[in-house]
Amino acid sequence: MRESSLPNETLALILADLPPAVLAIVARVSHRFNAVSERILYTSATIIDLLSLSSPYPVRTLQWCEAMDKRVHLHEITRRVSIRWQVESREPYTYPQPHPYLPHPALPTFAIQLGRTLHHLTLLESLDLFLGPANNSPERVHVIEHVIPALRFTHLQHCSLGADWSKFTTPYSPLLSAFLLTHPSLRHLNFPDYYPHHHHNHYQQQSPLLAPNALPNLSSFRGFADAAALFLPGRPVHYLSLLGSDSDVTDDILAHITLTSIPLRFLDLSAMFVRPRLLRILATRLPTIHSLRVRLALRHTLHYSMSGIRILTGLSPVLSSFTHLSWLDLSPTDISSHYASPATTGARRPDTDQDEVEHSLCREWARVCPALRRVTFPSRNEWTNDDHGGWFVDT
């Protein structure tokens, strides 16, 4: 069959699974292939700019902005944009020491240019912006607020906004609240640098007032605990992922987090080291949790005398307080440093009876936590209850 006899829809389905580099080559075959490939390429944009002393500009971002500004016919097909600026981790070494990286003063100007391009993508559904070191410039405006003032996306559902943060960083202003208020369709929100009540040597980040009618459809939130306490009350959030330190999750903050309009069911603590102390508080404050993903701080707690997977035996008293927990995911926990007994010398070795110990732990935890149906261990083994008291590994 000649390609000219294929409808554009069929040709698009054939090309859709090709990687971007291959699509760029296919686009050169003919005008028709170019038109179809271009629509696929520009439906989603994922850009990572590595900034360094030798390359201080977000070149890829600027090239994408220029391409989009020229292709007006593609503005209505772009659905997902992810742009991340970060410092190149391998800077050339100079004697006697590496020169510290300083953000280029033009970065805020480039952020404004990015905002002008995004302004035309009115049907955007997902926006992920992390502008890295750009927020460490002398500007008195948060770099994200150079991008968002004129943005209005009627179909936006996923939004992640942030930049590098330090105690001297300019905080968000009410501009952020205004942006959120004009996007009622938002369902998933991620703020990796939002510190509403953070204090540092008399430095305080002021939290913008969030209108009560903002984010009426918010169902998931990822950010720091005090930010969650600001965003969750009164909203239908059922999935929460927390950043930072477990000591930041105070009883007072949890009291605000529990004020969601529907019960919280999924809690992800994989981005912090968690001690059983916090788990006990969570069991009391968030009794509706069905799924818990956690990165345990093993060096602080449980049984030092135990080695390998057996160290997790100390969780039994904690899990007994979770009356609705059906899935415990421990896969983010690193137990490699506990594989060897303290009395053992020589190379560390994993437990030879790991599966047997995991099986025993599943039975013990199900006894103290009857709702438990699935357990994922640090080994990535996933055990499932067959509803007759038996446990088996999913393959």
Side-chain angles (χ1 to χ4, degrees), residues 74-132:
L74 296 177
H75 289 174
E76 292 188 354
I77 71 164
T78 305
R79 296 293 183 266
R80 295 171 296 278
V81 171
S82 174
I83 295 178
R84 307 185 73 82
W85 299 350
Q86 58 194 56
V87 177
E88 173 64 70
S89 59
R90 295 183 178 179
E91 281 289 325
Y93 184 81
T94 56
Y95 185 82
Q97 62 182 2
H99 193 283
Y101 173 83
L102 295 175
H104 195 280
L107 289 182
T109 302
F110 297 147
I112 294 173
Q113 184 175 344
L114 173 60
R116 289 172 180 162
T117 298
L118 290 172
H119 172 70
H120 299 292
L121 312 183
T122 55
L123 298 182
L124 206 64
E125 297 173 0
S126 176
L127 177 63
D128 174 13
L129 297 180
F130 189 82
L131 302 187

Side-chain angles (χ1 to χ4, degrees), residues 51-52 55-59 61-62 85 101-116 131 133-139 141 143 146-147:
L51 308 181
S52 66
S55 180
Y57 305 131
V59 175
T61 300
L62 297 176
W85 299 350
Y101 173 83
L102 295 175
H104 195 280
L107 289 182
T109 302
F110 297 147
I112 294 173
Q113 184 175 344
L114 173 60
R116 289 172 180 162
L131 302 187
N135 209 36
N136 294 328
S137 64
E139 291 274 336
V141 177
V143 66
H146 282 304
V147 181

Side-chain angles (χ1 to χ4, degrees), residues 42-75:
Y42 285 91
T43 297
S44 178
T46 301
I47 300 166
I48 298 177
D49 270 305
L50 299 179
L51 308 181
S52 66
L53 293 173
S54 58
S55 180
Y57 305 131
V59 175
R60 293 182 179 179
T61 300
L62 297 176
Q63 289 174 342
W64 175 80
C65 289
E66 183 181 358
M68 291 302 299
D69 292 344
K70 291 179 179 178
R71 294 168 170 81
V72 178
H73 61 287
L74 296 177
H75 289 174

